[in-house]
């Protein structure tokens, strides 16, 4: 009997276990191929094949969703899930050579699934000749973390932001003086999914006021084995009294002090020159006239 729809044919596949498993990693926005290849060199008649690519629906038990499929007698592959329409493709020419791989375009975070490839032959009374499970892991680079602050309160507050990454990150604050990791109890992380299905993270660090602070924020993407660390955030802090008593060189009072110092030095030089001239006139005898023979 010939199945008339993907749903009816799935009833025949209930309880099947994958014979081989693979794992693939892809970046968001890229294209990827999920391999499903018959192990022996052989040629196939497309009218003798039933080919299915499907995924398990999250939260729906054993109910599967068809990504794309090819039925005996069809001249092209079809799609069962609108999410994969125009993105998932089977190559009819490749299937004739035993290559039933799925070509997936423009990968999204929602594509992080376990895909099952199932191949049956009509001439063998719908005997399963191939089954492969491919787990697709999706990743996206986080933006370079940016640290702002500190706020000038009783404690120092730094804020770190990084956006558009996947999967969910780990966030660390580092003491750059000795490269030690600060206690996670000092930080408060907010991680949220944006409209693209990617993660944005905001981490707030609060530490006691100290004379010298040099901290950095690190965003870890475990899947990409990637650690992004913010640029150097070095801060010198002090009390209000110390700031008032020791104005910076660029302040008006600092500039006035520099002018007075230069004038005082010039005055001393002029006085020394006048004194030297007076001493010469008072001590040197007048020049005698030349005697004539």
């Amino acid at each position: 009997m010939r199945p008339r729809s993907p749903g009816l044919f799935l009833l025949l596949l209930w309880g099947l276990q994958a014979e081989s498993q693979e794992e693939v990693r892809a970046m968001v926005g890229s294209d990827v191929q999920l391999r499903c290849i018959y192990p022996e060199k052989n040629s196939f008649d497309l009218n003798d094949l039933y080919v299915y690519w499907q995924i398990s629906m999250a939260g729906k038990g054993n109910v599967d969703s068809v990504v794309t499929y090819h039925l005996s007698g069809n001249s092209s592959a079809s799609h069962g899930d609108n999410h994969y329409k125009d993105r998932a493709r089977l190559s009819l020419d490749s299937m004739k050579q035993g290559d039933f791989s799925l070509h997936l375009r423009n990968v999204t975070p929602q594509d992080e699934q376990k895909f099952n490839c199932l191949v049956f032959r009509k001439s063998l009374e719908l005997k399963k000749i191939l089954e492969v499970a491919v787990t697709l892991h999706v990743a996206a680079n986080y933006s370079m973390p940016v640290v702002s602050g500190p706020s000038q309160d009783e404690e120092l507050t730094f804020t770190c932001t990084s956006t558009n990454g996947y999967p969910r990150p780990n966030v660390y604050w580092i003491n750059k003086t000795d490269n030690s990791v600060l206690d996670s109890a000092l930080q408060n992380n907010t991680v949220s999914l944006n409209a693209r299905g990617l993660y944005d993270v905001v981490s707030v660090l609060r530490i006691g006021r100290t004379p010298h602070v040099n901290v950095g924020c690190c965003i870890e993407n475990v899947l990409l084995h990637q650690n992004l660390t913010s640029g150097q955030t070095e801060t010198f802090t002090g009390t209000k009294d110390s700031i008032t008593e020791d104005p910076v060189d660029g302040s008006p009072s600092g500039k006035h002090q520099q002018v007075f110092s230069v004038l005082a030095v010039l005055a001393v030089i002029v006085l020394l020159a006048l004194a030297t001239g007076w001493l010469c006139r008072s001590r040197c005898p007048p020049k005698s006239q030349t005697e004539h023979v």
Side-chain angles (χ1 to χ4, degrees), residues 109-134:
Q110 292 74 28
D111 294 331
E112 188 165 79
Q113 303 279 352
K114 183 177 181 180
F115 292 77
N116 293 307
C117 170
L118 302 155
V119 182
F120 294 79
R121 292 190 66 176
K122 177 182 176 181
S123 60
L124 300 178
E125 297 181 351
L126 297 180
K127 177 182 178 181
K128 180 186 67 176
I129 62 171
L130 181 64
E131 182 174 3
V132 176
V134 183

Side-chain angles (χ1 to χ4, degrees), residues 3-12 52 66 69:
R4 297 183 180 274
S5 69
L8 292 176
F9 191 70
L10 285 174
L11 296 177
L12 301 175
Y52 275 80
V66 177
Y69 60 92

Side-chain angles (χ1 to χ4, degrees), residues 1-69:
M1 182 179 71
R2 175 180 171 180
R4 297 183 180 274
S5 69
L8 292 176
F9 191 70
L10 285 174
L11 296 177
L12 301 175
L13 310 182
W14 191 266
L16 293 176
Q17 299 297 321
E19 295 179 353
S20 63
Q21 299 189 20
E22 295 184 6
E23 293 192 7
V24 177
R25 186 180 70 187
M27 301 296 289
V28 171
S30 68
D31 300 342
V32 67
Q33 175 178 286
L34 308 183
R35 288 166 52 86
C36 180
I37 300 175
Y38 193 72
E40 301 174 6
K41 187 174 181 179
N42 201 349
S43 59
F44 293 91
D45 180 2
L46 294 181
N47 291 323
D48 190 37
L49 294 175
Y50 290 92
V51 181
Y52 275 80
W53 276 93
Q54 59 189 28
I55 56 175
S56 297
M57 296 295 290
K60 295 187 178 181
N62 292 326
V63 178
D64 295 321
S65 175
V66 177
V67 175
T68 187
Y69 60 92

